[in-house]
């Protein structure tokens, strides 16, 4: 029996999320602005019709669409609704992959008759609209690559199930090869001399040629286009190789106390990421960028994988000393955890003794911040950064929106 894959993609997700809590924005041209309100990171179809694109500076967008409504992004809210969607999809399918904040892959299971996948896609789409207030489009096909391609043909608020090879070929013939995720302009240029311009051209090409031109990744895409699933649904993603937190120091910093305060802030943010992804690290690195254009770094290894604040703080102190240049002025800092391991219980080193007091303290800190807001309890070392914590915009990171690259 053929197993089908479904791809769910929320329509204009950031805008749709704003409309859930502000229904008066419905049918209006809406633009969501990035961290500093400088550019549009998402736009409604109504605003898109005025020529506003993702990345358009706000001053240009206001000229193109003077009657538009521009709102500041709220990544926390988008994450909340995304998790709500994930929960809904999980009631319809036993295997769901959280691909990004507004995209999921899942095993398509008919809700009634075993062949009624079109009806199933429509039912899930409509239920998400009713329960979460979000418009989504769902595509169902034999592989991930096909499902993602075909869901794009149904936007907005569509439900597409492509179950036969003839139907697949009909749609693939209409799509340029650049519609495939992973095939950009450079790869398309490699294919063009061989007459491969559409998705159907690629599907019909010789697999050995595709492997030669696009290597293993391209060959896997070719297999998927021909209905052979090689990219599984991953309910739990493989561990990251590196997790990092950092960025601009919001000015020039030459005071070692301020530099340490920034370091502690980034360590606390990094621990959030480690725990979110259920991993621990044995190596902590710090990279500093200096005003004169140079950069320095320091790395510290730990005896066992950890996500504990006290362990990482000790490692950060050593790494910062190794990267620090006395009297120099720093502009950027990044704190990086490498050699990540999936967190499964606690492994103690030969000379470690369990410290239940530290564990309880860390758990209490986490519980308070979960309930009352991020950084409500934080290290006293960060008291040297009152302006950072006073500005609510700094409660969220650019990458707090999981799986998306934002401005």
């Amino acid at each position: 029996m053929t197993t089908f894959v479904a791809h769910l993609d929320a329509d204009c997700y950031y805008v749709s999320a704003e409309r859930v809590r502000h229904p008066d924005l419905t049918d209006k041209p809406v633009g969501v602005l990035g961290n500093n309100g400088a550019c549009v990171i998402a736009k409604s179809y109504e605003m898109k019709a005025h020529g506003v694109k993702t990345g358009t500076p706000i001053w240009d967008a206001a000229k193109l669409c003077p009657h538009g409504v521009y709102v500041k992004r709220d990544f926390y809210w988008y994450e909340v609704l995304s998790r709500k969607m994930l929960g809904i999809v999980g009631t319809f399918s036993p295997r769901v992959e959280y691909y990004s904040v507004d995209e999921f892959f899942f095993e398509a299971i008919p809700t009634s008759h075993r062949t009624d996948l079109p009806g199933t896609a429509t039912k899930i789409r409509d239920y998400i609209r009713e329960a979460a207030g979000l418009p989504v489009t769902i595509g169902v096909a034999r592989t991930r690559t096909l499902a993602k391609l075909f869901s794009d043909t149904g936007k907005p608020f569509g439900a597409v199930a492509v179950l036969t090879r003839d139907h697949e070929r009909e749609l693939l013939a209409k799509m340029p090869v650049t519609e495939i995720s992973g095939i950009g302009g450079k790869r398309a240029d490699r294919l063009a001399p061989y007459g491969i311009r559409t998705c159907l051209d690629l599907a019909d090409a010789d697999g050995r040629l595709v492997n030669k031109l696009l290597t293993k990744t391209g060959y896997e895409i070719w297999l998927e286009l021909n209905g052979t699933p090689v990219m599984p649904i991953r309910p739990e993603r493989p561990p990251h190789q590196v997790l990092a937190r950092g960025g601009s120091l919001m000015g020039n910093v030459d005071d070692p106390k301020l530099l340490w305060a920034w370091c502690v802030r980034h360590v606390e943010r990094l621990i959030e990421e480690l725990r979110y992804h259920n991993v621990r690290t044995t190596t902590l690195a710090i990279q500093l960028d200096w005003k004169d254009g140079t950069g320095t770094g320091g790395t510290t290894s730990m005896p066992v994988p950890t996500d504990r604040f006290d362990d990482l703080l000790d490692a950060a102190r050593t790494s910062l000393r190794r990267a620090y240049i006395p009297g120099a002025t720093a502009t950027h800092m990044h704190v990086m955890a490498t050699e990540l391991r999936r967190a499964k219980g606690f492994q103690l080193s030969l000379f470690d003794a369990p410290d239940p007091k530290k564990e309880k303290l860390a758990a209490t800190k986490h519980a308070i911040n979960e309930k009352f807001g991020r950084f409500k309890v934080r290290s006293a070392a960060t008291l040297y950064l009152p302006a950072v914590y006073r500005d609510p915009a700094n409660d969220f990171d650019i990458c707090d929106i999981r799986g998306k690259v934002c401005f």
Side-chain angles (χ1 to χ4, degrees), residues 62-220:
K63 293 175 183 175
L64 291 168
C65 189
H67 303 298
V69 180
Y70 298 92
V71 298
K72 191 75 176 288
R73 88 288 182 275
D74 185 346
F75 291 160
Y76 177 78
W77 174 239
Y78 307 156
E79 183 85 12
V80 167
L81 282 184
S82 178
R83 292 292 161 180
K84 187 171 185 177
M85 274 198 298
L86 179 64
I88 293 171
V89 175
T91 65
F92 287 92
S93 176
R95 293 176 57 77
V96 184
E97 177 180 336
Y98 189 89
Y99 186 67
S100 74
V101 71
D102 59 349
E103 286 186 84
F104 310 136
F105 286 100
F106 57 97
E107 185 179 342
I109 306 294
T111 54
S112 53
H113 190 273
R114 66 183 183 88
T115 61
D116 187 27
L117 286 173
T120 298
T122 300
K123 183 174 181 179
I124 297 173
R125 178 202 67 182
D126 293 347
Y127 188 72
I128 290 174
R129 183 61 183 264
E130 178 185 351
L134 294 166
V136 304
T137 297
I138 296 176
V140 179
R142 292 190 292 164
T143 67
R144 286 172 63 112
T145 300
L146 290 172
K148 185 171 174 60
L149 282 170
F150 298 150
S151 69
D152 288 343
T153 69
K155 281 187 164 291
F157 198 57
V160 180
V162 181
L163 310 181
T164 67
R165 185 56 179 161
D166 287 343
H167 194 184
E168 288 173 3
R169 293 179 64 81
E170 176 189 344
L171 294 177
L172 291 175
K174 301 174 183 177
M175 299 179 182
V177 73
T178 50
E179 289 292 310
I180 301 172
S181 179
I183 297 185
K186 290 184 178 179
R187 285 188 161 186
D189 290 343
R190 287 184 220 161
L191 297 170
Y194 297 88
I196 302 173
R197 292 181 173 82
T198 69
C199 294
L200 184 59
D201 292 336
L202 182 59
D204 286 344
D206 188 301
R208 291 168 297 181
L209 174 64
V210 174
N211 192 37
K212 178 181 177 181
L213 296 174
L214 303 182
T215 68
K216 180 176 180 288
T217 301
Y219 181 69
E220 290 180 345

Side-chain angles (χ1 to χ4, degrees), residues 237-285:
R237 65 169 294 165
H240 291 70
Q241 294 183 335
V242 177
L243 289 174
R245 278 294 180 265
S248 168
L249 300 179
M250 298 173 63
N252 298 323
V253 175
D254 55 14
D255 184 342
K257 294 192 295 294
L258 283 181
L259 207 58
W260 175 239
W262 276 108
C263 183
V264 175
R265 170 177 166 81
H266 294 328
V267 167
E268 292 188 327
R269 295 165 60 210
L270 182 62
I271 289 172
E272 291 178 337
E273 281 302 288
L274 292 171
R275 292 181 176 172
Y276 178 86
H277 293 289
N278 193 34
V279 291
R280 299 190 180 111
T281 181
T282 56
T283 305
L284 193 77

Side-chain angles (χ1 to χ4, degrees), residues 142 146 165 168 202-205 221-228:
R142 292 190 292 164
L146 290 172
R165 185 56 179 161
E168 288 173 3
L202 182 59
D204 286 344
I221 291 173
W222 177 83
L223 288 171
E224 291 247 331
L225 289 176
N226 283 288
T228 301

